[in-house]
Amino acid sequence: MKYSKYCLILLLNLLIAIFILYKITSLALKWVDIYTKHGSYVIVPNLRYLTLNQSISILKKLGLKYDVDTSHYDPSFKPYQVLSFFPEAGDPVKVGRYIYIQANAKKFQTTVLPNIINKNKRIAIKLLHANHILVKDIKYVNDLSKDTVLKVVYKGKIIPSGSILPHQDGITLIIGKGYEKNDYSYPVPNVTGMSLSNATYTLKEKLFNIINFYYDDPLDDDTAATKAKVYRQEPSPGKKQDKKKPIYLWLTTKPLDRLIKTSESNESNKNYSTKNMEEEKIPINKEIDEQKTKPSVFGNKS
């Protein structure tokens, strides 16, 4: 008897709990329907070609809200005439829904391209958006400056900072993507005309750490060495070189103009073989061996 009595009490409590839960769920659903205006729909009217004032008046009567954009200009439309809107005409929407209207600007608007060259991609895009300039495409190229803007292209042409552009016109950004991790080749910087210390600093900054240098003239002291300038380099500027391979520099205290022209003439000779290049180095190295007592004649920095 006691067991059956306890089962009956438990069953009654369970039924009461289910009833209370049902009532709470029903009330919650009704509140959600009221709050979200469930079932209260209106049809979006066709606003195209209407004036902005006419469109706003119609939307207010239907209980709809609106958001207006007048940054675009189309010469075939009148000022403040509706160009487009969303949601589209005929779509059912709830009362209180926002309708986004794009109306024609009062006059043709332009903006100035800010200076974004050598700036980070994210910073550049923020500057462009602040100036109402759209980025329609981004192209990546191999360059040490990863995620940095290198060029700006508009209608197929590279344009400089300060160029006048129509509002909301699209541009293309050329951005560096760095080099692949397994690609150790980098363009060799131009150090012609630099002193040895400046040339070494520039090369090491670009990850070239093995530098062999030659002096054409025997130098007696450090003061003379600081006056020597690079008149030739291998590989030539711009060529890609494995960063683990050495860079060769030739220095002299003589005027550079004639020596640089001679070096450039040799570089332009397409039939200049590797064997001849090695033979050309032999007299320099031979002279260096003969003058071992003068350490400033030849050096290696790594």
Side-chain angles (χ1 to χ4, degrees), residues 20-79:
I20 293 173
L21 181 61
Y22 170 76
K23 284 295 183 180
I24 292 174
T25 304
S26 299
L27 291 173
L29 291 174
K30 287 182 179 179
W31 179 83
V32 170
D33 288 343
I34 295 171
Y35 181 76
T36 59
K37 299 180 180 179
H38 183 69
S40 300
Y41 291 99
V42 294
I43 303 300
V44 177
N46 187 4
L47 306 176
R48 189 169 170 81
Y49 302 118
L50 297 180
T51 65
L52 189 56
N53 289 335
Q54 289 173 336
S55 300
I56 291 173
S57 178
I58 292 172
L59 293 176
K60 283 182 177 180
K61 290 179 181 178
L62 294 173
L64 298 173
K65 298 179 181 180
Y66 55 88
D67 191 1
V68 181
D69 175 19
T70 58
S71 62
H72 289 70
Y73 178 79
D74 189 333
S76 61
F77 283 75
K78 296 178 181 180

Side-chain angles (χ1 to χ4, degrees), residues 33 39 57 66 154 169 188 193 226 279 293 295 298:
D33 288 343
S57 178
Y66 55 88
Y154 175 67
D169 249 20
V188 177
T226 58
E279 290 176 353
T293 57
F298 171 78

Side-chain angles (χ1 to χ4, degrees), residues 87-258:
E88 298 179 355
D91 288 350
V93 297
K94 293 181 180 181
V95 174
R97 169 73 183 272
Y98 271 92
I99 306 298
Y100 299 93
I101 302 173
Q102 189 176 82
N104 200 28
K106 187 175 181 180
K107 60 180 180 179
F108 182 71
Q109 296 178 336
T110 59
T111 187
V112 178
L113 177 66
N115 184 11
I116 57 173
I117 302 299
N118 295 326
K119 283 188 168 57
N120 181 269
K121 176 178 66 176
R122 293 183 179 180
I123 296 174
I125 291 175
K126 285 182 179 180
L127 283 172
L128 292 171
H129 288 173
N131 286 273
H132 306 287
I133 301 174
L134 297 178
V135 179
K136 69 177 183 180
D137 193 15
I138 295 178
K139 294 182 179 180
Y140 293 91
V141 297
N142 287 329
D143 192 89
L144 286 175
S145 304
K146 188 175 181 181
D147 291 332
T148 300
V149 178
L150 305 175
K151 299 176 184 177
V152 178
V153 178
Y154 175 67
K155 293 186 176 179
K157 295 181 179 180
I158 298 173
I159 58 173
S161 303
S163 299
I164 306 298
L165 298 173
H167 256 211
Q168 297 292 345
D169 249 20
I171 61 172
T172 299
L173 298 180
I174 308 298
I175 295 176
K177 66 175 181 179
Y179 289 93
E180 300 295 332
K181 291 182 178 180
N182 58 351
D183 184 6
Y184 298 102
S185 297
Y186 295 88
V188 177
N190 187 3
V191 297
T192 305
M194 295 184 183
S195 65
L196 179 60
S197 59
N198 288 340
T200 302
Y201 175 81
T202 301
L203 290 168
K204 288 191 174 183
E205 192 178 33
K206 298 298 182 181
L207 304 180
F208 296 105
N209 294 313
I210 306 174
I211 304 165
N212 294 327
F213 56 94
Y214 304 80
Y215 287 114
D216 278 8
D217 309 307
L219 302 176
D220 296 329
D221 51 43
D222 293 338
T223 304
T226 58
K227 295 179 180 179
K229 305 291 183 183
V230 177
Y231 73 89
R232 181 182 170 194
Q233 65 179 88
E234 289 182 13
S236 57
K239 286 189 176 181
K240 292 182 91 176
Q241 168 84 340
D242 192 323
K243 68 179 182 180
K244 296 181 179 179
K245 293 183 178 180
I247 304 294
Y248 297 94
L249 304 178
W250 282 262
L251 299 98
T252 184
T253 56
K254 297 178 181 178
L256 295 181
D257 294 344
R258 187 174 179 181

